[in-house]
C-alpha cells in the first residue's frame, strides 16, 4: 500500500496541463473516477486510499476545475463534448486499455460519452448521482433550464448558484443530523475557492448553459445500457435534491440486473457514507472485473481515440450569441 499510495501528477493533453491522482498497482483492474460540479478529484481522496490495495485508480480534474488548466472562455470551448475529448485523450496518453467508470454529476455525461464511443474499453459502471434520465431532475434545475432558454435574462439568478452558501448546501443538504460531523469543511471551501478564481464563474456559466445538450443524447446513453449491459452498481443518496432518487431507479429500466443502493445521504454521499460505498465497490468489482485480470495498461502501444488529433468527435455545436 505504501508503495502505491496516492501520487499527484499532471499530463499535457492538447497543450493543457491536466492534473490527476493515481494510486494502486497499474497491473490491477483500473477504476477511473470522474467528478462533478463544483468539486474536483479531491472528492475521491478517501475512496482512493480505501481501494488502492486492490485496484488501480485514476482521478483527473476536468479542465477549469481543481488543479487542471483553466483557460479563459475565449480560449477554450467549455462544453461536455470537449471535456470528454480531453478525458479520453488523457486515458489514451496514460495507456489505460480497459477500465471501470465511476461517474458523479458532471462526470456522468463525460463518462457515458466515452462508454458509448468505446464500449469495449468499459468493464463496469458505478454511478453516484450520475444522471442519465430526465427522471432524475429536481426543482433545483428549474432556473438552469430557464437559463438554457433565455441565458441573458436568467444569468443573475444562476450566478447565485456559485456562492458559498449554495456550495455548502450541496454538501450538507439531505445529510442525516448524526452524519453532518463527517463532512470536512474544506470540501465546500476548496470547491468555492476554485470558483472564486478570476474567470472561473464565467467557465461555470458556460457549462451550465451547455448542460442542455446532454439531455439530447440521453437516449444514446440508454441505448448503450440496453445493447452492452455493462455490470452496474448504483450508490445514490436518496435525499439528493440535485439529482433525485428517481434518476437512480430509472437505470433499472434498461439495466434490470444493476445493483442499486439508495443511501441515507445527499449529493456528495462519499463524504458521509464513504466506508459503506467503498465496501460496496470492492464487493461489486470482485464479482464483475476481478482483482488482477482486467484494466491492464497497454504495454506495447498507445490507444488512439476516434478522430484526428485536435479534431472534435462531437456534433456541430450551437453557440449562444454573445
Amino acid at each position: 500500500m505504501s508503495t502505491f499510495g496516492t501520487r499527484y501528477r499532471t499530463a499535457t493533453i492538447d497543450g493543457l496541463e491536466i492534473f490527476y491522482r493515481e494510486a494502486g498497482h497499474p497491473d490491477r483492474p483500473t477504476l477511473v473516477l470522474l467528478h462533478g460540479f463544483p468539486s474536483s478529484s479531491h472528492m475521491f481522496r478517501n475512496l482512493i486510499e480505501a481501494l488502492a490495495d486492490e485496484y488501480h485508480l485514476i482521478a483527473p480534474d476536468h479542465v477549469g476545475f481543481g488543479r487542471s488548466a483553466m483557460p479563459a472562455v475565449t480560449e477554450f470551448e467549455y462544453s461536455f463534448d470537449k471535456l470528454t475529448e480531453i478525458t479520453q485523450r488523457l486515458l489514451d496518453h496514460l495507456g489505460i486499455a480497459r477500465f471501470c467508470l465511476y461517474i458523479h454529476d458532471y462526470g456522468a455525461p463525460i463518462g457515458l460519452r466515452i462508454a458509448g464511443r468505446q464500449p469495449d474499453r468499459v468493464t463496469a459502471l458505478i454511478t453516484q448521482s450520475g444522471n442519465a434520465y430526465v427522471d432524475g431532475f429536481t426543482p433545483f434545475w428549474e432556473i438552469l433550464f430557464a437559463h438554457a432558454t433565455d441565458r441573458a435574462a436568467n444569468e443573475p439568478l444562476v450566478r447565485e448558484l456559485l456562492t458559498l452558501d449554495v456550495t455548502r448546501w450541496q454538501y450538507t443538504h439531505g445529510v442525516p443530523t448524526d452524519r453532518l460531523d463527517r463532512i470536512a469543511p474544506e470540501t465546500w471551501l476548496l470547491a468555492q475557492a476554485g470558483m472564486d478564481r478570476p474567470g472561473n464563474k464565467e467557465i461555470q456559466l458556460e457549462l451550465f448553459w451547455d448542460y442542455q445538450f446532454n439531455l439530447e443524447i440521453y437516449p444514446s446513453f440508454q441505448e448503450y445500457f440496453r445493447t452492452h449491459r455493462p455490470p452496474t452498481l448504483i450508490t445514490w443518496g436518496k435525499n439528493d435534491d440535485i439529482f433525485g432518487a428517481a434518476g437512480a431507479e430509472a437505470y433499472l429500466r434498461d439495466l434490470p440486473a444493476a445493483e442499486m443502493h439508495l443511501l441515507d445521504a445527499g449529493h456528495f454521499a462519499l463524504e458521509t457514507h464513504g466506508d459503506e460505498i467503498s465496501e460496496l465497490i470492492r464487493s461489486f468489482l470482485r464479482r464483475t472485473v476481478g482483482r488482477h485480470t482486467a484494466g491492464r495498461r497497454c504495454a506495447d502501444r498507445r490507444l488512439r481515440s476516434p478522430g484526428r488529433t485536435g479534431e472534435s468527435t462531437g456534433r456541430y455545436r450551437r453557440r449562444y450569441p454573445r
Side-chain angles (χ1 to χ4, degrees):
M1 176 68 176
S2 59
T3 304
F4 296 104
T6 304
R7 288 90 73 198
Y8 306 96
R9 294 175 166 164
T10 59
T12 302
I13 307 297
D14 291 358
L16 299 170
E17 290 297 303
I18 304 301
F19 173 88
Y20 64 98
R21 299 168 193 250
E22 181 174 13
H25 196 291
D27 284 340
R28 294 183 178 180
T30 297
L31 178 55
V32 175
L33 310 167
L34 300 181
H35 72 83
F37 168 84
S39 189
S40 67
S41 61
H42 179 261
M43 71 169 282
F44 296 116
R45 65 201 182 281
N46 297 324
L47 183 66
I48 289 171
E49 292 295 327
L51 296 177
D53 62 325
E54 198 166 333
Y55 299 97
H56 176 228
L57 302 107
I58 298 286
D61 288 351
H62 305 313
V63 178
F65 293 81
R67 300 299 301 169
S68 285
M70 193 190 76
V73 294
T74 55
E75 299 171 348
F76 181 82
E77 179 192 335
Y78 283 95
S79 69
F80 287 90
D81 278 342
K82 191 65 176 177
L83 295 184
T84 300
E85 291 174 23
I86 296 292
T87 304
Q88 228 172 323
R89 289 172 182 170
L90 173 67
L91 296 175
D92 294 347
H93 172 80
L94 297 177
I96 307 297
R98 304 187 73 219
F99 45 86
C100 171
L101 278 171
Y102 186 122
I103 53 176
H104 176 258
D105 194 277
Y106 278 8
I110 295 169
L112 293 176
R113 277 175 169 84
I114 293 172
R117 293 171 186 176
Q118 299 182 323
D120 291 343
R121 294 180 73 177
V122 178
T123 59
L125 288 176
I126 301 167
T127 177
Q128 178 216 327
S129 296
N131 209 47
Y133 296 84
V134 294
D135 310 56
F137 291 111
T138 66
F140 177 87
W141 285 85
E142 290 175 0
I143 184 59
L144 292 169
F145 290 145
H147 179 252
T149 301
D150 189 340
R151 189 172 183 178
N154 290 284
E155 184 171 309
L157 288 174
V158 170
R159 280 185 176 271
E160 294 181 8
L161 301 179
L162 305 175
T163 61
L164 179 60
D165 284 346
V166 175
T167 301
R168 182 190 297 112
W169 176 88
Q170 290 193 64
Y171 279 89
T172 60
H173 184 76
V175 175
T177 303
D178 63 352
R179 295 222 178 190
L180 281 172
D181 60 0
R182 300 190 183 196
I183 305 175
E186 64 265 22
T187 55
W188 65 74
L189 293 174
L190 281 172
Q192 190 63 41
M195 290 192 294
D196 286 344
R197 290 175 291 175
N200 194 270
K201 287 185 171 62
E202 285 65 36
I203 290 170
Q204 304 307 330
L205 290 170
E206 286 291 310
L207 289 172
F208 281 166
W209 181 77
D210 190 76
Y211 200 94
Q212 62 187 294
F213 302 118
N214 293 327
L215 276 67
E216 296 177 2
I217 59 174
Y218 273 12
S220 70
F221 296 163
Q222 295 153 20
E223 179 60 29
Y224 160 73
F225 299 151
R226 290 190 295 271
T227 301
H228 296 281
R229 298 297 174 107
T232 300
L233 172 67
I234 304 165
T235 61
W236 205 290
K238 68 179 181 180
N239 310 319
D240 187 349
D241 265 350
I242 298 174
F243 289 119
E249 294 162 344
Y251 272 86
L252 300 179
R253 292 203 295 266
D254 297 309
L255 292 166
E259 178 182 336
M260 183 172 72
H261 300 270
L262 293 180
L263 306 170
D264 192 11
H267 188 61
F268 284 99
L270 280 175
E271 296 298 326
T272 57
H273 292 70
D275 291 342
E276 293 93 328
I277 292 173
S278 65
E279 286 308 307
L280 288 170
I281 291 172
R282 190 184 296 275
S283 173
F284 169 73
L285 292 180
R286 285 177 176 176
R287 286 182 281 106
T288 55
V289 304
R291 301 189 189 190
H292 306 292
T293 58
R296 292 183 182 275
R297 296 166 79 94
C298 225
D300 57 346
R301 64 184 175 87
R302 297 294 186 190
L303 295 171
R304 295 183 62 84
S305 58
R308 297 185 299 273
T309 301
E311 180 182 53
S312 172
T313 55
R315 53 174 168 64
Y316 175 76
R317 305 208 56 73
R318 286 178 281 161
R319 306 308 301 163
Y320 187 87
R322 296 188 181 279

